[in-house]
Structures are given as structure tokens and as C-alpha cells.
Amino acid sequence: MSDHGRKPIHTHLAENLRPDFTKSQAKQDAELASGHADDATGRSIPQNEKGTVQKMWDKVQGNVPNASGKEPGNVLSGGPTTGNRHDLH
């Protein structure tokens, strides 16, 4: 279960399971925007204020502070800050 004010985890999964070519451009844009907003929210909330499931999800997504200084991002979807984490591959 995601924390209050965060994009539901099941929504993240459903969006990433459905191929982009089956979605309209507007739908893809909306998913990308909501993903970026959730990424930003995840990075702004201290880890000790997140629920256990949200902490694990954010770690999978890369939405945690990174001591190396590299920008965190969403590992499961594409985009400038969501999926281009070469250190996670």
C-alpha cells in the first residue's frame, strides 16, 4: 500500500505492464507527468517518515537520496529522470 499523497503502487505496475504503443499520446503524457510528480514527492519525504511498503517501493524505483550525487529516478519507466540510472543496470 502506498503512503497518503503518493501514486498507488498498483497504478505504477499497471501503467508499466501495458505497452506504450497501446496508449494514446495524452495517456502516455499523463502517466509520465504523474510519475515525475510521484518521484519528486518520494524524494522530498524523509525515509523515516515513509511506511515500510513505500520505503521498499521507493528503493526499487530509485526514489531515495543517493550519496553518489546521481539523480534518483523511476527504474520501471522511461524518461529523463525515470529509467536512465546506469548504475542500477
Coordinates of all heavy atoms in Angstrom, one line a residue:
M1 N 0.8 -1.2 0.0 CA 0.0 0.0 0.0 C 0.9 1.2 0.0 O 1.9 1.3 0.7 CB -0.9 0.0 1.2 CG -1.8 1.2 1.4 SD -2.9 0.9 2.8 CE -4.0 2.3 2.5
S2 N 0.6 2.2 -0.8 CA 1.4 3.4 -0.9 C 1.0 4.4 0.2 O -0.1 4.3 0.7 CB 1.2 4.1 -2.3 OG -0.1 4.4 -2.5
D3 N 1.9 5.3 0.5 CA 1.6 6.3 1.5 C 0.6 7.3 1.0 O 0.5 7.5 -0.2 CB 2.9 7.0 2.0 CG 3.8 6.1 2.8 OD1 3.4 5.0 3.2 OD2 4.9 6.5 3.0
H4 N -0.1 8.0 1.9 CA -1.0 9.1 1.6 C -0.3 10.1 0.7 O 0.8 10.5 1.0 CB -1.6 9.7 2.8 CG -2.5 10.8 2.6 ND1 -3.8 10.6 2.1 CD2 -2.4 12.2 2.6 CE1 -4.4 11.8 1.9 NE2 -3.5 12.7 2.2
G5 N -1.0 10.5 -0.4 CA -0.4 11.6 -1.2 C 0.5 11.0 -2.3 O 1.0 11.8 -3.1
R6 N 0.7 9.7 -2.3 CA 1.6 9.1 -3.3 C 0.7 8.3 -4.3 O -0.4 7.9 -4.1 CB 2.6 8.1 -2.6 CG 3.5 8.7 -1.6 CD 4.5 9.7 -2.2 NE 5.3 9.1 -3.2 CZ 6.4 8.3 -3.1 NH1 6.8 8.1 -1.8 NH2 7.1 7.9 -4.1
K7 N 1.3 8.2 -5.5 CA 0.7 7.4 -6.6 C 0.6 6.0 -6.1 O 1.6 5.4 -5.7 CB 1.5 7.5 -7.9 CG 0.9 7.0 -9.1 CD 1.7 7.3 -10.3 CE 1.2 6.8 -11.6 NZ 2.0 7.2 -12.7
P8 N -0.6 5.3 -6.2 CA -0.7 4.0 -5.8 C 0.2 3.0 -6.5 O 0.4 3.1 -7.7 CB -2.2 3.6 -6.1 CG -2.9 4.9 -6.1 CD -1.9 5.9 -6.7
I9 N 0.8 2.1 -5.8 CA 1.8 1.2 -6.3 C 1.1 0.3 -7.4 O 1.7 0.1 -8.5 CB 2.4 0.3 -5.2 CG1 3.3 1.2 -4.3 CG2 3.2 -0.9 -5.8 CD1 3.7 0.5 -3.0
H10 N -0.1 -0.1 -7.2 CA -0.8 -0.9 -8.3 C -1.0 -0.1 -9.5 O -1.0 -0.7 -10.6 CB -2.1 -1.5 -7.8 CG -3.2 -0.5 -7.5 ND1 -3.3 0.2 -6.3 CD2 -4.2 0.0 -8.3 CE1 -4.3 1.1 -6.4 NE2 -4.9 0.9 -7.6
T11 N -1.1 1.2 -9.4 CA -1.2 2.1 -10.6 C 0.1 2.1 -11.4 O 0.2 2.0 -12.6 CB -1.7 3.5 -10.3 OG1 -2.9 3.4 -9.6 CG2 -1.8 4.4 -11.5
H12 N 1.2 2.3 -10.6 CA 2.5 2.2 -11.2 C 2.7 0.9 -12.0 O 3.1 0.9 -13.2 CB 3.6 2.2 -10.2 CG 4.0 3.6 -9.7 ND1 4.8 4.4 -10.4 CD2 3.8 4.2 -8.5 CE1 5.0 5.5 -9.7 NE2 4.4 5.4 -8.5
L13 N 2.4 -0.2 -11.4 CA 2.5 -1.5 -12.0 C 1.7 -1.7 -13.3 O 2.1 -2.1 -14.3 CB 2.2 -2.6 -11.0 CG 3.2 -2.7 -9.9 CD1 2.7 -3.7 -8.8 CD2 4.6 -3.1 -10.3
A14 N 0.4 -1.3 -13.2 CA -0.5 -1.4 -14.3 C 0.0 -0.5 -15.5 O -0.1 -1.0 -16.6 CB -1.9 -1.0 -13.9
E15 N 0.4 0.7 -15.2 CA 0.9 1.5 -16.3 C 2.1 1.0 -17.0 O 2.3 1.1 -18.2 CB 1.3 2.9 -15.7 CG 0.0 3.7 -15.3 CD 0.4 5.0 -14.6 OE1 1.6 5.3 -14.3 OE2 -0.5 5.8 -14.4
N16 N 3.0 0.3 -16.2 CA 4.2 -0.2 -16.8 C 4.0 -1.6 -17.4 O 4.9 -2.0 -18.3 CB 5.3 -0.3 -15.7 CG 5.8 1.1 -15.4 OD1 6.4 1.7 -16.2 ND2 5.6 1.5 -14.2
L17 N 3.0 -2.3 -17.1 CA 2.7 -3.6 -17.8 C 2.1 -3.4 -19.1 O 2.2 -4.2 -20.0 CB 1.8 -4.4 -16.9 CG 2.5 -5.0 -15.6 CD1 1.5 -5.7 -14.8 CD2 3.6 -5.9 -16.0
R18 N 1.3 -2.3 -19.3 CA 0.7 -2.1 -20.6 C 1.6 -1.3 -21.5 O 2.1 -0.2 -21.2 CB -0.6 -1.2 -20.4 CG -1.4 -1.0 -21.6 CD -2.7 -0.3 -21.3 NE -3.3 0.1 -22.6 CZ -4.2 1.1 -22.7 NH1 -4.6 1.8 -21.7 NH2 -4.7 1.3 -23.9
P19 N 1.9 -1.9 -22.7 CA 2.9 -1.3 -23.6 C 2.4 0.1 -24.1 O 1.2 0.4 -24.3 CB 2.9 -2.2 -24.8 CG 2.3 -3.5 -24.3 CD 1.4 -3.1 -23.2
D20 N 3.4 1.0 -24.2 CA 3.1 2.4 -24.6 C 2.4 2.5 -26.0 O 1.5 3.3 -26.2 CB 4.3 3.3 -24.7 CG 4.8 3.7 -23.3 OD1 4.0 3.6 -22.3 OD2 5.9 4.2 -23.2
F21 N 2.7 1.5 -26.9 CA 2.1 1.6 -28.2 C 0.6 1.4 -28.2 O -0.1 1.7 -29.1 CB 2.8 0.7 -29.2 CG 2.5 -0.8 -29.0 CD1 1.4 -1.4 -29.6 CD2 3.4 -1.6 -28.3 CE1 1.1 -2.7 -29.4 CE2 3.1 -2.9 -28.1 CZ 2.0 -3.5 -28.7
T22 N 0.1 0.9 -27.1 CA -1.4 0.6 -26.9 C -2.1 1.8 -26.3 O -3.3 1.8 -26.1 CB -1.7 -0.6 -26.1 OG1 -1.3 -0.4 -24.8 CG2 -1.0 -1.8 -26.7
K23 N -1.3 2.9 -25.9 CA -1.8 4.0 -25.2 C -1.8 5.3 -26.2 O -0.9 5.4 -27.0 CB -1.0 4.4 -24.0 CG -0.9 3.2 -23.0 CD 0.1 3.6 -21.9 CE 0.5 2.4 -21.1 NZ 1.6 2.8 -20.1
S24 N -2.8 6.2 -25.9 CA -2.7 7.4 -26.7 C -1.6 8.3 -26.2 O -1.0 8.0 -25.1 CB -4.0 8.2 -26.5 OG -4.1 8.7 -25.1
Q25 N -1.2 9.2 -27.0 CA -0.1 10.1 -26.5 C -0.5 10.9 -25.3 O 0.3 11.1 -24.4 CB 0.3 11.1 -27.7 CG 1.5 11.9 -27.3 CD 2.7 11.1 -27.2 OE1 3.1 10.3 -28.0 NE2 3.4 11.3 -26.1
A26 N -1.8 11.3 -25.2 CA -2.2 12.0 -24.0 C -2.1 11.1 -22.8 O -1.7 11.6 -21.7 CB -3.7 12.5 -24.2
K27 N -2.4 9.8 -22.9 CA -2.3 8.9 -21.8 C -0.9 8.7 -21.4 O -0.5 8.8 -20.2 CB -2.9 7.6 -22.2 CG -2.8 6.5 -21.1 CD -3.8 6.7 -20.0 CE -3.8 5.5 -19.0 NZ -4.4 5.9 -17.7
Q28 N 0.0 8.6 -22.3 CA 1.4 8.5 -22.0 C 2.0 9.7 -21.3 O 2.7 9.6 -20.4 CB 2.2 8.2 -23.3 CG 2.0 6.9 -23.9 CD 2.8 6.7 -25.2 OE1 4.0 6.9 -25.3 NE2 2.1 6.3 -26.3
D29 N 1.6 10.9 -21.8 CA 2.0 12.1 -21.2 C 1.5 12.3 -19.8 O 2.2 12.7 -18.9 CB 1.5 13.3 -22.0 CG 2.2 13.4 -23.4 OD1 3.2 12.8 -23.6 OD2 1.7 14.2 -24.3
A30 N 0.2 11.9 -19.6 CA -0.3 11.9 -18.2 C 0.4 11.0 -17.3 O 0.7 11.3 -16.1 CB -1.8 11.6 -18.3
E31 N 0.7 9.8 -17.7 CA 1.4 8.8 -16.9 C 2.8 9.3 -16.6 O 3.3 9.2 -15.4 CB 1.5 7.5 -17.6 CG 0.2 6.7 -17.6 CD 0.3 5.4 -18.4 OE1 1.4 5.0 -18.8 OE2 -0.8 4.8 -18.5
L32 N 3.5 9.9 -17.5 CA 4.8 10.4 -17.3 C 4.8 11.6 -16.3 O 5.6 11.6 -15.4 CB 5.5 10.9 -18.6 CG 6.9 11.4 -18.6 CD1 7.8 10.2 -18.1 CD2 7.3 11.9 -19.9
A33 N 3.8 12.5 -16.5 CA 3.7 13.6 -15.6 C 3.4 13.2 -14.1 O 4.0 13.6 -13.2 CB 2.6 14.6 -16.0
S34 N 2.5 12.2 -14.0 CA 2.2 11.7 -12.7 C 3.3 11.0 -12.0 O 3.5 11.0 -10.8 CB 0.9 10.9 -12.7 OG 1.0 9.7 -13.4
G35 N 4.1 10.3 -12.9 CA 5.3 9.6 -12.4 C 6.3 10.5 -11.9 O 6.9 10.3 -10.9
H36 N 6.6 11.6 -12.7 CA 7.5 12.6 -12.3 C 7.1 13.3 -10.9 O 7.9 13.5 -10.1 CB 7.7 13.6 -13.3 CG 8.6 13.2 -14.5 ND1 9.9 12.8 -14.3 CD2 8.3 13.1 -15.8 CE1 10.4 12.4 -15.5 NE2 9.4 12.6 -16.4
A37 N 5.8 13.5 -10.8 CA 5.3 14.2 -9.6 C 5.5 13.2 -8.4 O 5.9 13.7 -7.3 CB 3.8 14.5 -9.8
D38 N 5.2 11.9 -8.6 CA 5.4 11.0 -7.5 C 6.9 10.8 -7.2 O 7.2 10.7 -6.0 CB 4.8 9.6 -7.9 CG 4.8 8.7 -6.7 OD1 4.1 9.0 -5.7 OD2 5.4 7.7 -6.8
D39 N 7.7 10.8 -8.2 CA 9.2 10.7 -8.0 C 9.6 11.9 -7.1 O 10.4 11.7 -6.1 CB 10.0 10.8 -9.3 CG 9.9 9.6 -10.1 OD1 9.3 8.5 -9.6 OD2 10.3 9.6 -11.3
A40 N 9.2 13.1 -7.4 CA 9.6 14.3 -6.7 C 9.1 14.2 -5.2 O 9.8 14.5 -4.3 CB 9.0 15.6 -7.3
T41 N 7.8 13.8 -5.1 CA 7.2 13.6 -3.7 C 8.0 12.6 -2.9 O 8.4 12.8 -1.8 CB 5.8 13.2 -3.8 OG1 5.0 14.2 -4.5 CG2 5.2 13.1 -2.4
G42 N 8.4 11.5 -3.6 CA 9.1 10.4 -2.9 C 10.5 10.9 -2.4 O 11.0 10.5 -1.4
R43 N 11.1 11.7 -3.2 CA 12.5 12.2 -2.9 C 12.4 13.3 -1.8 O 13.3 13.5 -1.0 CB 13.2 12.8 -4.1 CG 13.6 11.7 -5.1 CD 14.5 12.2 -6.2 NE 13.9 13.3 -6.9 CZ 13.2 13.2 -8.0 NH1 13.0 12.0 -8.5 NH2 12.7 14.2 -8.7
S44 N 11.2 14.0 -1.7 CA 11.1 15.1 -0.7 C 10.7 14.6 0.7 O 10.8 15.3 1.7 CB 10.1 16.1 -1.2 OG 8.8 15.5 -1.1
I45 N 10.2 13.3 0.8 CA 9.8 12.8 2.1 C 11.0 12.0 2.7 O 11.5 11.1 2.1 CB 8.6 11.9 1.9 CG1 7.4 12.7 1.4 CG2 8.2 11.3 3.3 CD1 6.2 11.9 1.0
P46 N 11.4 12.3 3.9 CA 12.4 11.6 4.6 C 12.1 10.1 4.7 O 10.9 9.8 4.9 CB 12.6 12.2 5.9 CG 12.0 13.6 5.8 CD 10.9 13.4 4.8
Q47 N 13.1 9.2 4.6 CA 12.8 7.8 4.6 C 12.1 7.4 5.9 O 11.3 6.5 6.0 CB 14.1 7.0 4.5 CG 14.7 7.1 3.1 CD 13.8 6.4 2.1 OE1 13.0 7.0 1.5 NE2 14.0 5.1 1.9
N48 N 12.5 8.0 7.1 CA 11.9 7.6 8.3 C 10.5 8.1 8.5 O 9.8 7.7 9.5 CB 12.8 8.2 9.5 CG 12.8 9.7 9.6 OD1 12.4 10.4 8.6 ND2 13.3 10.2 10.7
E49 N 9.9 8.8 7.5 CA 8.5 9.2 7.6 C 7.7 8.4 6.6 O 6.5 8.6 6.5 CB 8.4 10.7 7.2 CG 8.9 11.6 8.3 CD 8.8 13.1 7.9 OE1 7.9 13.4 7.1 OE2 9.5 13.9 8.5
K50 N 8.3 7.4 5.9 CA 7.6 6.6 4.9 C 7.2 5.3 5.6 O 7.9 4.8 6.5 CB 8.5 6.3 3.7 CG 8.8 7.5 2.9 CD 9.7 7.1 1.8 CE 10.1 8.4 1.0 NZ 11.1 8.0 -0.1
G51 N 6.1 4.7 5.1 CA 5.7 3.4 5.5 C 6.7 2.3 5.0 O 7.4 2.6 4.0
T52 N 6.6 1.1 5.6 CA 7.6 0.1 5.1 C 7.4 -0.3 3.7 O 8.4 -0.4 3.0 CB 7.3 -1.2 6.0 OG1 7.5 -0.8 7.4 CG2 8.3 -2.3 5.6
V53 N 6.2 -0.5 3.2 CA 6.0 -0.8 1.8 C 6.4 0.3 0.9 O 7.1 0.1 -0.1 CB 4.5 -1.2 1.5 CG1 4.3 -1.4 0.0 CG2 4.1 -2.4 2.3
Q54 N 6.1 1.6 1.3 CA 6.5 2.7 0.4 C 8.0 2.8 0.4 O 8.6 3.1 -0.7 CB 5.9 4.0 1.0 CG 6.1 5.2 0.0 CD 5.3 5.0 -1.2 OE1 4.1 5.0 -1.1 NE2 5.9 5.0 -2.4
K55 N 8.7 2.6 1.5 CA 10.2 2.6 1.5 C 10.8 1.6 0.5 O 11.7 1.9 -0.2 CB 10.7 2.3 2.9 CG 10.8 3.5 3.8 CD 11.6 3.0 5.1 CE 10.8 3.4 6.3 NZ 11.5 3.1 7.6
M56 N 10.2 0.4 0.6 CA 10.7 -0.7 -0.3 C 10.4 -0.3 -1.8 O 11.3 -0.5 -2.6 CB 10.1 -2.0 0.0 CG 10.6 -2.6 1.3 SD 10.0 -4.3 1.6 CE 8.2 -4.1 1.6
W57 N 9.2 0.2 -2.0 CA 8.9 0.6 -3.4 C 9.8 1.7 -3.9 O 10.3 1.7 -5.0 CB 7.4 1.0 -3.5 CG 7.0 1.4 -4.9 CD1 6.8 2.7 -5.3 CD2 6.8 0.6 -6.0 NE1 6.4 2.7 -6.6 CE2 6.5 1.4 -7.1 CE3 7.0 -0.8 -6.2 CZ2 6.3 0.9 -8.4 CZ3 6.7 -1.3 -7.5 CH2 6.4 -0.5 -8.5
D58 N 10.0 2.7 -3.1 CA 10.9 3.8 -3.5 C 12.3 3.4 -3.7 O 13.0 3.9 -4.7 CB 10.8 4.9 -2.5 CG 9.6 5.8 -2.5 OD1 8.8 5.6 -3.5 OD2 9.4 6.6 -1.6
K59 N 12.8 2.4 -3.0 CA 14.1 1.9 -3.2 C 14.2 1.2 -4.5 O 15.1 1.4 -5.3 CB 14.5 0.9 -2.1 CG 15.9 0.5 -2.2 CD 16.4 -0.2 -0.9 CE 17.8 -0.7 -1.1 NZ 18.8 0.2 -0.4
V60 N 13.2 0.4 -4.9 CA 13.1 -0.3 -6.2 C 13.1 0.8 -7.3 O 13.7 0.6 -8.3 CB 11.9 -1.2 -6.3 CG1 11.6 -1.7 -7.7 CG2 12.0 -2.4 -5.4
Q61 N 12.3 1.8 -7.1 CA 12.1 2.9 -8.1 C 13.3 3.8 -8.2 O 13.5 4.5 -9.1 CB 10.9 3.7 -7.7 CG 9.6 3.0 -7.8 CD 9.1 2.9 -9.2 OE1 8.7 3.9 -9.8 NE2 9.2 1.7 -9.8
G62 N 14.2 3.8 -7.1 CA 15.3 4.7 -7.1 C 15.0 6.0 -6.5 O 15.8 7.0 -6.7
N63 N 13.9 6.2 -5.8 CA 13.5 7.4 -5.3 C 13.9 7.6 -3.9 O 13.2 7.9 -2.9 CB 11.9 7.6 -5.3 CG 11.4 7.7 -6.7 OD1 12.1 8.1 -7.6 ND2 10.2 7.3 -7.0
V64 N 15.2 7.5 -3.7 CA 15.8 7.7 -2.4 C 17.1 8.6 -2.6 O 17.7 8.6 -3.7 CB 16.2 6.3 -1.7 CG1 15.0 5.6 -1.4 CG2 17.1 5.5 -2.6
P65 N 17.5 9.3 -1.6 CA 18.7 10.1 -1.7 C 19.9 9.2 -2.1 O 20.0 8.1 -1.6 CB 18.9 10.7 -0.3 CG 17.5 10.7 0.3 CD 16.8 9.5 -0.3
N66 N 20.7 9.7 -2.9 CA 21.8 8.9 -3.4 C 23.1 9.6 -3.1 O 23.4 10.7 -3.5 CB 21.7 8.8 -5.0 CG 22.7 7.8 -5.6 OD1 23.8 7.6 -5.0 ND2 22.3 7.2 -6.7
A67 N 23.9 9.0 -2.3 CA 25.2 9.6 -1.8 C 26.1 9.9 -2.9 O 27.0 10.7 -2.8 CB 25.8 8.6 -0.8
S68 N 26.0 9.2 -4.1 CA 26.9 9.4 -5.2 C 26.6 10.7 -5.9 O 27.3 11.2 -6.7 CB 26.8 8.3 -6.2 OG 25.6 8.3 -6.8
G69 N 25.5 11.4 -5.5 CA 25.1 12.6 -6.2 C 24.3 12.5 -7.5 O 23.9 13.4 -8.1
K70 N 24.1 11.2 -7.9 CA 23.4 11.0 -9.1 C 21.9 11.2 -8.8 O 21.4 10.8 -7.7 CB 23.6 9.6 -9.7 CG 25.1 9.4 -10.1 CD 25.2 8.0 -10.7 CE 26.7 7.8 -11.1 NZ 26.9 6.5 -11.6
E71 N 21.2 11.7 -9.8 CA 19.8 12.0 -9.6 C 19.0 10.7 -9.5 O 19.2 9.8 -10.4 CB 19.2 12.8 -10.8 CG 17.8 13.2 -10.6 CD 17.3 14.1 -11.7 OE1 18.1 14.5 -12.6 OE2 16.1 14.5 -11.6
P72 N 18.2 10.5 -8.5 CA 17.3 9.3 -8.4 C 16.3 9.3 -9.5 O 16.0 10.4 -10.1 CB 16.7 9.4 -7.0 CG 16.8 10.8 -6.6 CD 17.9 11.4 -7.4
G73 N 15.7 8.2 -9.8 CA 14.7 8.1 -10.8 C 13.9 6.9 -10.8 O 14.3 5.9 -10.1
N74 N 12.9 6.8 -11.5 CA 12.0 5.7 -11.6 C 12.6 4.6 -12.5 O 12.7 4.8 -13.7 CB 10.6 6.2 -12.1 CG 9.6 5.1 -12.2 OD1 9.9 3.9 -12.4 ND2 8.4 5.4 -11.9
V75 N 12.9 3.5 -11.9 CA 13.6 2.4 -12.7 C 12.7 1.7 -13.6 O 13.1 1.2 -14.7 CB 14.2 1.4 -11.6 CG1 14.8 0.2 -12.4 CG2 15.2 2.1 -10.7
L76 N 11.4 1.7 -13.4 CA 10.5 0.9 -14.2 C 9.9 1.6 -15.4 O 9.3 1.0 -16.2 CB 9.3 0.4 -13.3 CG 9.6 -0.5 -12.2 CD1 8.4 -0.9 -11.4 CD2 10.4 -1.7 -12.7
S77 N 10.1 2.9 -15.5 CA 9.5 3.6 -16.7 C 10.6 4.5 -17.3 O 11.6 4.7 -16.7 CB 8.3 4.5 -16.3 OG 8.7 5.5 -15.4
G78 N 10.4 4.9 -18.5 CA 11.4 5.7 -19.2 C 11.2 7.2 -19.0 O 10.2 7.7 -18.5
G79 N 12.2 7.9 -19.3 CA 12.2 9.4 -19.2 C 13.5 9.9 -18.7 O 14.3 9.2 -18.2
P80 N 13.6 11.2 -18.7 CA 14.9 11.8 -18.3 C 15.3 11.5 -16.9 O 16.5 11.3 -16.6 CB 14.7 13.3 -18.5 CG 13.2 13.5 -18.7 CD 12.6 12.2 -19.1
T81 N 14.4 11.4 -16.0 CA 14.8 11.1 -14.6 C 14.1 9.8 -14.2 O 14.1 9.4 -13.0 CB 14.4 12.2 -13.6 OG1 12.9 12.3 -13.6 CG2 15.0 13.5 -13.9
T82 N 13.6 9.0 -15.1 CA 12.9 7.8 -14.7 C 13.3 6.6 -15.6 O 12.6 6.2 -16.5 CB 11.4 8.0 -14.9 OG1 11.1 8.3 -16.2 CG2 10.8 9.1 -13.9
G83 N 14.4 6.1 -15.3 CA 14.9 4.9 -16.0 C 16.3 5.0 -16.6 O 16.7 4.0 -17.1
N84 N 16.9 6.1 -16.5 CA 18.2 6.2 -17.1 C 19.3 6.1 -16.1 O 20.3 6.7 -16.1 CB 18.4 7.5 -17.9 CG 17.4 7.6 -19.0 OD1 17.2 6.6 -19.7 ND2 16.8 8.7 -19.3
R85 N 19.1 5.3 -15.1 CA 20.1 5.1 -14.0 C 21.0 4.0 -14.4 O 20.7 2.8 -14.1 CB 19.3 4.8 -12.7 CG 18.4 5.8 -12.1 CD 19.1 6.8 -11.2 NE 20.1 6.3 -10.3 CZ 19.9 5.9 -9.1 NH1 18.6 5.9 -8.6 NH2 20.8 5.5 -8.3
H86 N 22.1 4.3 -15.0 CA 23.0 3.2 -15.5 C 23.7 2.5 -14.3 O 24.1 1.3 -14.5 CB 24.1 3.8 -16.4 CG 23.5 4.5 -17.6 ND1 22.9 3.7 -18.6 CD2 23.3 5.8 -17.9 CE1 22.5 4.5 -19.5 NE2 22.7 5.8 -19.2
D87 N 23.7 3.1 -13.2 CA 24.3 2.5 -12.0 C 23.4 1.3 -11.5 O 23.9 0.5 -10.6 CB 24.7 3.5 -10.9 CG 23.4 4.2 -10.4 OD1 22.6 4.6 -11.2 OD2 23.3 4.4 -9.2
L88 N 22.2 1.3 -11.9 CA 21.3 0.2 -11.4 C 21.2 -0.9 -12.4 O 20.5 -1.9 -12.1 CB 19.9 0.8 -11.2 CG 19.8 1.9 -10.1 CD1 18.4 2.5 -10.1 CD2 20.1 1.3 -8.8
H89 N 21.8 -0.9 -13.5 CA 21.7 -1.9 -14.5 C 22.7 -3.0 -14.3 O 23.8 -2.8 -13.8 CB 21.8 -1.4 -15.9 CG 20.7 -0.4 -16.2 ND1 19.4 -0.8 -16.6 CD2 20.7 0.9 -16.2 CE1 18.7 0.2 -16.8 NE2 19.4 1.3 -16.6

